[in-house]
Structures are given as structure tokens and as C-alpha cells.
Amino acid sequence: MRIDGEHRRSVWLAEDGRTVLTFDQTRLPHALPVIALERLEDAAAAIAEMKIRGAPLIGAIAAYGVALAVRADPSDDALARACGLLAATRPTAVNLRWALERMRALLAPLPPARREERAYAEAAAICEEDVAINRAIGERGLPLIEAVARRKRPGEPVRILTHCNAGWLATVDWGTATAPVYLAHRKGIALHVWVDETRPRNQGAAITAFELGQEGVPHTVIADNAGGHLMRQGLVDLCIVGTDRVARNGDVANKIGTYLKALAAFDNAVPFYVALPSSTIDWRLSDGAGIPIEERSGEELALVTGRTADGRIETVRITPEGSACGNWAFDVTPARLVTALVTERGVCPASEAGLLSLFPEAAAA
Ligand code: MRU
């Protein structure tokens, strides 16, 4: 997608073909500096500190982290160490495990001397696939928006609520939840996106709003608590969010607060869609109860960073010194609250049967 009119992806290689370049997303919406990942430890830190974030991008950067590691040391021990270090960075997004298992399964049987080249090729393949998959999610999800648009008066926008950032900066390109939105916008369908601010890290206010603005998609940032009110007022036609892990039964983990939006949507008969690449399905988990929920530092809740009128970036405390802050980063929305899952192979009910109808090869898993 675009920044200042120029097409960009969220991860690419430097001219040496080995240094990994990506954006530091922690400075958005005020800045988006490029950072260079030169060592395994750089990739691990970028994921843990959330300089890069979003389930598919975490997987892509982890794959490149393995490539950086085997470049420095292609031994069996180093490969195992690299996968262990990267796997420990963030617990909820299963794309991390998926990417590491894919890299390890490819590289471990190879002689060490061949590992570097193959690792870079595989990480690049993961990125290319991610772009194609997200584009396909967009095409599969587009008819859901078109169907609402057909019921509208000319020029009246389809009003879509999204939570967190499941946009192109959370993937390699297109995003998951945003891919149908971008395709609809490019087709000339009138849209208006309600962007949940997404406390405590404000991925909606800082990242999704930035992305939509760069693409010219009309949007309004709303307080996290506003969604239910908007739904009751009939101001939301559909919700679409991303996910970090989907269990076999269709339960979905996503950014904290997603569950509350799904409850409000259910109560107001607003369709609630979850968009995902198949790498986000955890076929080993029967239901969402087994999804590990990341708990992050309470400081993320207590401190707010923003730009002052004279252009300085400042961080201020908004809670009393001494008050404890709890910071659960994700929640699980039960499948019964999800209208449908939107995948690269099509739209299906949020259930094991629904998922298997699109991915029958997983029946044996
Ligand atoms: O903590 P984050 O910013 O990595 O959480 C991101 C989300 O919850 C996204 O909605 C999810 O990863 C889907 S990204 C296409």
C-alpha cells in the first residue's frame, strides 16, 4: 500500500541482499523510520518491543530472523537457538510458530553450507505468499461489502468498524481485515471506517488511521468504548477485524477489546467478520481456551506518548503513581459471536466444519 503516494511493503531487503529493512511502528502516526535488522537479536528485539507487530508480519520477520541467524552461524546448535529465541518473543500470534516450524523443517536437513541461501529464499517466499494471500482475502471479503453497498442509497457509505491494526503494516502488504476495505475503496464503493483507538497501545488511532488516511479512505477514530453506542444507533453496517490465532472450533484471539465489540455486534445483529490467512489457524488447539494470552507491562497502560503543539514527542503518566495496571494484550471471542471467517480460500462459518470445508487437508492434523 502507499505512503505519500509511493507503494511500500512493510519488509524488504537492503542492497546487500542480506540486511532486513522494516519500519519502526512505535513512532506512528508522527514518524515511520526505517530500521535495519542485521542480526538475529535485532529481529527478536523488534518483535518483542513491538517495533513490528501484527501476526503475519511477526511471522515474516521471524523467518528473516532465522535467515540472519544462519548467516552468522549455520550450525545445528545456532539454528535451534535462533528458533528458541524468536519463539519466546511473543506468545499469542501463532504465525510466529508457523513461520519458525516452516523454516526449521526446511533448513535442518540441509548441510550447513547451504542454509543461508535457502533461508533467505524461504523468508522471501513467505513474504510473497503473504501478499498474495492477503489480496485473496480482500477478493473473498469484497462481496460482503458489496452486498451492503447494494442496499444503500447512491453515495451513502458502507460503515465498517475495525479494531486494532489488521492493515498492511500488520502484514507484508494489503492487511487482512483491511484488504476488502481497500479493494472496495478502489472499486469506488463509498465507505466510512470507524477506527477503534485500541488502548493501550493505540494501534487503531496511530496505525490504522494512518494507513487509511494514506489510501484516502474516509474514517473516524473512536474511543474504544464508543462501538456499542454506534451499533445501537444503527451506525455500523459490519465489523471486520483480524486475528492472532484461530482454534479448530473457530474461536478467535485478537487484540484486547475485540470480544466486547463482538458482544455488542451480536446484540445489535451487526455482522462480525474475522479475516485471516490460513497460517493463523492453530489446528492443534480444539478451542480458544488453550490460546496463550500475552500479558505486557502495565507501563503501556500508565504512560501515553504523543506530540506536543511545538512538535516534541513526549510521554506522560495518566494513572496515579502506585496504582497497579493490568495489561492483557489479547482476548478470545467465542465462535458463536463470529458471523463468518474470511480466508484466502473463501468465507466460512466459524466452526471446525466450516474451516475444514475450506482446508480439508487439515482433517488429519
Ligand atoms: O499486539 P499487536 O499489535 O501485534 O496485535 C495485532 C492484532 O491483534 C491484529 O489484529 C492481528 O495480529 C491481526 S493482523 C493482520
Side-chain angles (χ1 to χ4, degrees):
M1 306 307 288
R2 286 173 293 210
I3 300 177
D4 295 334
E6 192 187 332
H7 179 255
R8 306 295 299 264
R9 284 185 178 181
S10 63
V11 54
W12 66 102
L13 290 182
E15 274 178 14
D16 65 6
R18 291 294 182 256
T19 304
V20 180
L21 300 178
T22 186
F23 295 111
D24 175 357
Q25 300 183 23
T26 59
R27 308 272 296 280
L28 277 170
H30 309 298
L32 191 56
V34 173
I35 49 170
L37 311 177
E38 289 171 348
R39 301 168 314 132
L40 159 70
E41 290 75 14
D42 298 337
I47 298 171
E49 293 164 15
M50 292 180 65
K51 290 194 164 99
I52 72 94
R53 27 65 52 205
L57 185 59
I58 290 170
I61 296 287
Y64 272 123
V66 173
L68 290 166
V70 298
R71 181 188 185 204
D73 178 352
S75 68
D76 288 353
D77 278 357
L79 176 60
R81 235 186 357 261
C83 291
L85 180 74
L86 289 161
T89 51
R90 296 197 71 193
T92 303
V94 78
N95 306 62
L96 175 62
R97 184 184 83 197
W98 169 87
L100 293 175
E101 289 182 352
R102 176 164 161 173
M103 295 297 284
R104 200 163 177 180
L106 175 83
L107 299 176
L110 296 177
R114 290 191 51 214
R115 285 179 181 164
E116 178 183 343
E117 194 192 327
R118 290 302 302 278
Y120 273 93
E122 193 66 4
I126 285 174
C127 290
E128 290 305 321
E129 285 169 28
D130 184 69
V131 177
I133 283 171
N134 295 329
R135 166 96 202 189
I137 290 171
E139 280 157 9
R140 303 300 195 161
L142 176 61
L144 302 171
I145 297 175
E146 288 175 320
V148 179
R150 279 194 292 275
R151 300 199 298 267
K152 298 277 181 181
R153 287 190 295 277
E156 196 189 350
V158 178
R159 296 149 312 172
I160 300 170
L161 184 141
T162 192
H163 191 69
C164 193
N165 172 260
W168 73 268
L169 284 160
T171 65
V172 179
D173 206 352
W174 287 102
T176 56
T178 54
V181 173
Y182 290 136
L183 286 182
H185 180 65
R186 287 187 182 182
K187 275 194 87 174
I189 295 172
L191 302 173
H192 194 95
V193 182
W194 301 115
V195 179
D196 283 352
E197 63 173 339
T198 318
R199 285 281 290 148
R201 290 187 66 109
N202 295 331
Q203 288 95 327
I207 307 177
T208 305
F210 169 81
E211 277 190 17
L212 294 172
Q214 292 288 330
E215 288 295 320
V217 179
H219 62 280
T220 300
V221 179
I222 56 172
D224 282 328
N225 301 325
H229 172 69
L230 294 183
M231 290 186 223
R232 276 179 65 80
Q233 297 295 310
L235 296 173
V236 181
D237 295 305
L238 62 99
C239 303
I240 183 161
V241 301
T243 171
D244 293 82
R245 193 182 299 224
V246 180
R248 265 185 109 86
N249 71 340
D251 289 350
V252 296
N254 192 47
K255 180 54 53 194
I256 193 79
T258 301
Y259 171 53
L260 286 175
K261 297 302 141 60
L263 280 172
F266 189 79
D267 194 43
N268 290 281
V270 173
F272 190 90
Y273 299 109
V274 179
L276 61 132
S278 50
S279 51
T280 302
I281 306 168
D282 187 347
W283 296 104
R284 297 176 206 167
L285 277 186
S286 57
D287 61 55
I291 297 176
I293 299 297
E294 179 177 17
E295 286 185 50
R296 295 184 62 86
S297 164
E299 292 288 275
E300 292 185 349
L301 198 66
L303 303 176
V304 171
T305 300
R307 190 171 63 190
T308 61
D310 60 0
R312 281 172 298 118
I313 303 294
E314 295 261 358
T315 299
V316 296
R317 179 170 292 274
I318 58 166
T319 58
E321 296 283 354
S323 287
C325 294
N327 185 9
W328 293 268
F330 299 93
D331 58 28
V332 174
T333 298
R336 69 187 160 79
L337 300 178
V338 177
T339 307
L341 302 172
V342 184
T343 79
E344 71 268 28
R345 290 201 194 161
V347 178
C348 71
S351 65
E352 180 162 4
L355 283 168
L356 287 175
S357 71
L358 295 179
F359 301 95
E361 69 275 20

